[in-house]
Amino acid sequence: MAKTDYQSIDEYQDVFPAEMQIRLQTIRDIIKKQAPEATEVISYQIPAFKLGKQFLIYYAAFAQHLTLSSPWSAAFLQHFSKELEGMKVSKSVIQFPLNKPLPLDFIKAIIAFRKQECEA
């Protein structure tokens, strides 16, 4: 993707094909429902949500996957160890392949866990 200067999440999502926009909006809707007080921002030129001064979560689209990202805590990685088995995971990114349905309940659980971490 070429260098950009996105000013809003809508602007970011609008550059993708319709199917990807639906997936991105699904993630956005989950975050807004789980953390309605979170503020939408663009950070590192990708969508992010903040709770106060802390980043709750980032998400982004790529050619073969979507990602949720945050600096995952050891507690987070341990709590979700079974769900993360077989997935591409780093210290800050979880990849969701485009050839599989989004794991909506898992994404909801991730947001709920991160919200607790941010509020602690």
Side-chain angles (χ1 to χ4, degrees), residues 45 107 115:
Q45 285 300 292
I107 293 170
K115 185 176 176 183

Side-chain angles (χ1 to χ4, degrees), residues 34-51:
Q34 296 286 115
E37 69 279 24
T39 305
E40 292 187 349
V41 298
I42 293 289
S43 181
Y44 301 106
Q45 285 300 292
I46 62 172
F49 282 78
K50 290 180 82 173
L51 285 174

Side-chain angles (χ1 to χ4, degrees), residues 22-35 49 56-60 65-69 72 76 79-80 83-84 87 94-98 100-115:
I22 291 168
R23 286 175 169 256
L24 291 167
Q25 188 61 42
T26 299
I27 291 172
R28 185 184 190 185
D29 291 344
I30 289 170
I31 297 166
K32 288 169 82 170
K33 187 171 184 178
Q34 296 286 115
F49 282 78
L56 172 67
I57 199 89
Y58 298 80
Y59 67 95
H65 62 274
L66 291 176
T67 64
L68 286 183
S69 57
W72 308 125
F76 175 94
H79 182 82
F80 291 113
E83 292 89 341
L84 294 170
M87 298 180 87
I94 301 169
Q95 291 185 4
F96 298 101
L98 298 182
K100 295 182 180 178
L102 283 172
L104 302 179
D105 289 337
F106 181 41
I107 293 170
K108 290 174 187 174
I110 289 170
I111 302 307
F113 193 94
R114 283 292 302 133
K115 185 176 176 183

